[in-house]
Amino acid sequence: MSHAFLRPARFSEPEWEARVQLAACYRIFAHLRWEELIYNHISVRVPGEDGHFLINPFGLHYSEVTASNLVKVDVDGNILGHSDWPINPAGFTFHSAIHATLAHAHCVMHVHTTPTMAVCCLQDGLSYTNFYAAQLHGQVAYHSFEGITVRADEGQRILASSGGKPVLLLRNHGPVVMGPTLAQAFNLMWLVQRACEIQVASSTLGKLRQIQEPVLEGCVRDSLNFNTKYGAGEVSFAAMQRLIDRIDPGYRA
């Protein structure tokens, strides 16, 4: 689909492509109702710029985020270039620690959706008793609640709690997912969201039926193989981006 939005000269082509994709992701989250007023955050590394990443302007709804108003920051929290908006300190705290340390964490996402927060509040956390959760077996870590994530030192504890796993459930708070690409992170968040939705819905009906360990291991293996075969999430993310293009391509500005 063609759109009449030109790359501003101040952005390199790789950075602009990353900005457009990230802005699309914010609009996708808004469409799915995964937004939280002006809060929560999705960040991606700037290609070819060590220690720099893009994050949402603090004060804008996800439906207002565009490629050009995303904020570029370094891992010390300094805004690079001009921005009319600040960044959310609660987002910077752990996004910076993750981006600075984990090579595979090109994209980091955090949400406060009702089902994911509900599961984060459970003593036993995520239950591997449904199709979506089975694909997350062995990929989930937990971090104890310390309050609002505005203290720099908690970023290192969050990093330690993750243990290199791609999904971190902040207890009493909400999930963080990390992916080597934005599309993979999005599809991982989709799995987490759906797993929690099904768990919350099914837990009120009676005792949940457990899935045996060998089957869980097979689900993870098959899920990874399926995603690899079909573009590691790129195909489904592209479909969602086309949906947003039909609704409002203004995020490309």
Side-chain angles (χ1 to χ4, degrees):
M1 184 177 293
S2 176
H3 297 287
F5 297 105
L6 300 177
R7 171 174 59 90
R10 67 184 182 276
F11 301 125
S12 68
E13 185 171 342
E15 179 179 340
W16 185 245
E17 290 177 358
R19 284 175 171 272
V20 170
Q21 189 182 47
L22 180 55
C25 192
Y26 275 103
R27 299 299 184 95
I28 291 168
F29 272 43
H31 177 75
L32 295 172
R33 302 309 304 269
W34 291 359
E35 83 278 36
E36 180 84 353
L37 295 178
I38 62 170
Y39 303 101
N40 296 167
H41 5 86
I42 313 165
S43 62
V44 296
R45 289 191 179 112
V46 179
E49 297 186 23
D50 290 343
H52 298 170
F53 61 94
L54 302 170
I55 199 165
N56 51 313
F58 188 42
L60 297 184
H61 187 265
Y62 282 13
S63 63
E64 298 177 296
V65 173
T66 67
S68 59
N69 68 26
L70 285 162
V71 185
K72 180 160 67 171
V73 297
D74 64 20
V75 292
D76 295 317
N78 300 305
I79 292 177
L80 306 173
H82 173 76
S83 176
D84 292 327
W85 301 90
I87 59 172
N88 184 349
F92 169 77
T93 296
F94 61 86
H95 283 252
S96 61
I98 292 170
H99 282 306
T101 308
L102 300 180
H104 68 276
H106 172 72
C107 178
V108 181
M109 299 177 171
H110 174 57
V111 297
H112 282 180
T113 63
T114 298
T116 60
M117 287 189 72
V119 169
C120 286
C121 291
L122 295 176
Q123 181 64 41
D124 294 332
L126 185 66
S127 172
Y128 299 102
T129 53
N130 67 68
F131 173 83
Y132 298 104
Q135 299 174 61
L136 296 168
H137 178 67
Q139 300 185 69
V140 179
Y142 293 87
H143 175 73
S144 296
F145 186 62
E146 297 186 28
I148 300 174
T149 55
V150 293
R151 297 169 186 83
D153 57 329
E154 188 180 2
Q156 293 303 315
R157 290 192 292 278
I158 287 174
L159 186 64
S161 294
S162 74
K165 294 184 177 180
V167 178
L168 177 64
L169 299 185
L170 305 178
R171 292 192 182 278
N172 312 100
H173 187 168
V176 178
V177 305
M178 296 157 264
T181 69
L182 186 149
Q184 286 177 267
F186 170 75
N187 280 266
L188 190 57
M189 184 63 84
W190 176 270
L191 280 180
V192 173
Q193 171 73 12
R194 294 294 288 135
C196 292
E197 286 177 341
I198 302 305
Q199 180 174 335
V200 170
S202 59
S203 62
T204 62
L205 302 177
K207 186 176 180 179
L208 297 179
R209 185 177 180 85
Q210 298 300 310
I211 300 173
Q212 297 301 308
E213 189 82 12
V215 178
L216 291 172
E217 292 172 354
C219 281
V220 173
R221 183 172 57 252
D222 292 342
S223 179
L224 291 173
N225 289 338
F226 183 87
N227 284 328
T228 300
K229 183 178 180 180
Y230 293 99
E234 296 292 342
V235 175
S236 55
F237 183 85
M240 293 302 296
Q241 186 170 0
R242 290 193 300 272
L243 172 64
I244 298 303
D245 278 327
R246 293 193 296 273
I247 295 171
D248 179 11
Y251 73 89
R252 293 176 175 270

